[in-house]
Amino acid sequence: MTGQSTPTPATSGPKTLHVNLFEMACVSHIVHGLWREEGNQRHRFGEMAFWLETARKAEAAGMDAIFLADVIGIYDRFGGLDASLRLGLQIPNLDPLSLIPAMAAVTTTLGFAATFSTTYEPPFAFARRMSTLDLLTDGRVGWNVVTSYLPNAARNFGLDGELEHDSRYDRADEYLDVLYKLWEGSWQDDAILQDRDGDRFADPERVRHIDHEGTHFRVEGPHLVQPTPQRTPVLFQATGSPRGLKTASRHAEAVFIGGRTQDEVRAHIARTRAAAAAEGRDPSELKFYVMAGLIAGQTEAEAKEKLARYRRLYSVEGALVHAQAEIDLRQFDPSLTIGEALAQSGRELGNMGRRFGTEQTIGAALTQIASFDEGRFFIAGTPGQIADAIETWLDEDGIDGINLRQYHSFETLDDYASLIAPELRRRGRLPPAAKPGETLRHRLTGRDRLPDTHPAAAYRSAGTLPARHKAHSGVRSDPSTSTSPTPAAPTQDKTLSKEAALP
């Protein structure tokens, strides 16, 4: 028995948009400098009341979730610590997982997705924290899987520098396998008895060690938390590199993508679906999200005035710090291309080249930064104009959802609730209102549990994990036979093979 719920049948009608509020527990997340705007509440990010108000507003607006970004280091390549602190650029920065219980307590349908890295902390403790959140929220949590990329983050955890890129993803794959064993396999669905007369709270026959021994982790188990509504939280991940794509196509349910043109976006989606199919998954089950900037006004003039007001305070320096820029674009001839400027500086193609393209001129890049126009998924206009653009993104680009970038707290959220959402709802472009008790995964996919085609499902069978609790003597399985198993073929799991036949 897997506890797998039956997905809700697809309904006819136009494709609907999933919306997350893009948040981070800091004063300057993405659009830098705007915390100074009159009436902006960003400076209150350290107050409980700020997050409770944010959660209530997001739920009232009908959003699926608040998506919490995070970093565990500072952006110090451009300007060092001084610039980051002076600009409040993602420092100070609070722990996103700690915010969720407070927001969940004042909401009933809103989901919460938090960023957490697989690189620096062991999986067993994280498994317990996330399962605790899934219980306390009645299944309203998701996890944005990241491997971390800031050099300062590596130094904060005792390393001299970043782990090599592909090695981080190798570690992430095994990290996720450990979590799946804990979340999906360690406890059977009916392990909790609450038998007062028999003095049995849980049935030992239905709880198993995982005895994982792999390249990076050695975890005995069992999981410390009973089965939760979703077991595994909704899995979000961004793609970019070929190695990142492989990990996302194997694990992610919701994939963050980008693209400067419609063709790039469509190609990225097609490439990711094909990679998921190659992993044995149903590619139609993946959902694709982009970060979107929406600035709304009752009239075009009002929207343009709001845009101009935001631009007046926008920090180009903050954008360069956040981009980990290799060069200060402001110091070059505006007619030079990014590639030429990098070459003049003796710098290799890096963040600036990836963001703007090597053929774009310095002047055009600075104009783009100063306008904080992020390209395809940005629009300032009336509710109707914004809805027109979103319909194109849904129907022609092929996306499924957005992370709504914030320019002003709470003006951006209030504008979405009062101007944009009503127009999208009128056009049938938003899903039905969430219901109390509905999990975040059910909201997005129509099911509470991961589908059987997902690699985590392989660990649900009693034959894929040992059940040695009665005779456990502290002796571990022979490490010479240990490997990190391939979930799609659990019978080849050498780590668990000695007792795989046990019930």
Side-chain angles (χ1 to χ4, degrees), residues 46-328:
E47 299 176 17
M48 178 79 77
F50 174 85
W51 295 104
L52 301 186
E53 187 172 359
T54 300
R56 290 187 180 106
K57 284 177 175 287
E59 182 170 70
M63 291 181 167
D64 291 334
I66 291 177
F67 186 98
L68 294 156
D70 191 34
V71 290
I72 46 178
I74 60 168
Y75 291 85
D76 57 0
R77 176 178 288 167
F78 186 98
L81 176 61
D82 290 353
S84 290
L85 284 171
R86 177 166 42 80
L87 299 169
L89 198 147
Q90 300 189 10
I91 180 173
N93 172 29
L94 310 184
D95 173 15
L97 291 173
S98 300
L99 304 176
I100 293 175
M103 293 190 287
V106 297
T107 55
T108 57
T109 61
L110 183 68
F112 307 94
T115 300
F116 185 86
S117 175
T118 59
T119 299
Y120 300 117
E121 296 188 49
F124 185 80
F126 174 66
R128 183 172 71 151
R129 290 205 297 277
M130 190 55 77
S131 290
T132 300
L133 290 175
D134 204 48
L135 277 178
L136 295 180
T137 63
D138 295 323
R140 291 187 279 147
V141 295
W143 170 30
N144 178 34
V145 184
V146 299
T147 65
S148 297
Y149 66 97
L150 293 174
N152 176 253
R155 295 192 294 270
N156 287 335
F157 288 89
L159 302 178
D160 293 331
E162 294 177 89
L163 297 178
E164 189 272 331
H165 178 274
D166 287 5
S167 295
R168 296 202 306 269
Y169 281 98
D170 292 341
R171 183 183 179 93
D173 279 329
E174 186 181 340
Y175 197 105
L176 282 152
D177 284 343
V178 174
L179 294 175
Y180 297 152
K181 293 176 183 180
L182 292 167
W183 287 334
E184 299 285 342
S186 188
W187 290 67
Q188 295 181 30
D189 291 328
D190 52 359
I192 297 295
L193 303 176
Q194 298 188 23
D195 178 6
R196 289 182 171 86
D197 293 337
D199 192 20
R200 292 197 308 166
F201 184 79
D203 184 352
E205 298 290 336
R206 296 168 181 158
V207 181
R208 301 172 295 210
H209 295 84
I210 69 166
D211 285 328
H212 175 90
E213 296 191 34
T215 302
H216 303 283
F217 305 107
R218 179 174 172 173
V219 181
E220 182 178 76
H223 190 32
L224 295 181
V225 183
Q226 69 265 41
T228 70
Q230 298 182 121
R231 292 287 192 122
T232 298
V234 177
L235 299 171
F236 295 85
Q237 190 185 333
T239 66
S241 68
R243 185 61 185 86
L245 173 62
K246 181 174 177 59
T247 296
S249 64
R250 182 170 180 254
H251 300 285
E253 301 172 84
V255 181
F256 293 110
I257 61 170
R260 286 172 287 188
T261 67
Q262 184 178 101
D263 287 344
E264 284 186 6
V265 174
R266 290 170 62 88
H268 198 157
I269 291 173
R271 184 167 58 248
T272 308
R273 290 198 194 279
E279 294 287 342
R281 298 179 61 193
D282 181 350
S284 68
E285 292 175 342
L286 274 64
K287 295 192 179 300
F288 293 89
Y289 283 71
V290 297
M291 180 172 65
L294 310 177
I295 298 177
Q298 292 281 9
T299 64
E300 282 191 67
E302 183 181 315
K304 289 179 179 178
E305 186 281 326
K306 195 173 295 182
L307 175 59
R309 174 160 52 90
Y310 294 162
R311 283 177 173 168
R312 281 195 292 270
L313 290 175
Y314 186 58
S315 171
V316 172
E317 181 185 10
L320 295 172
V321 172
H322 193 182
Q324 294 278 80
E326 294 85 7
I327 55 177
D328 187 344

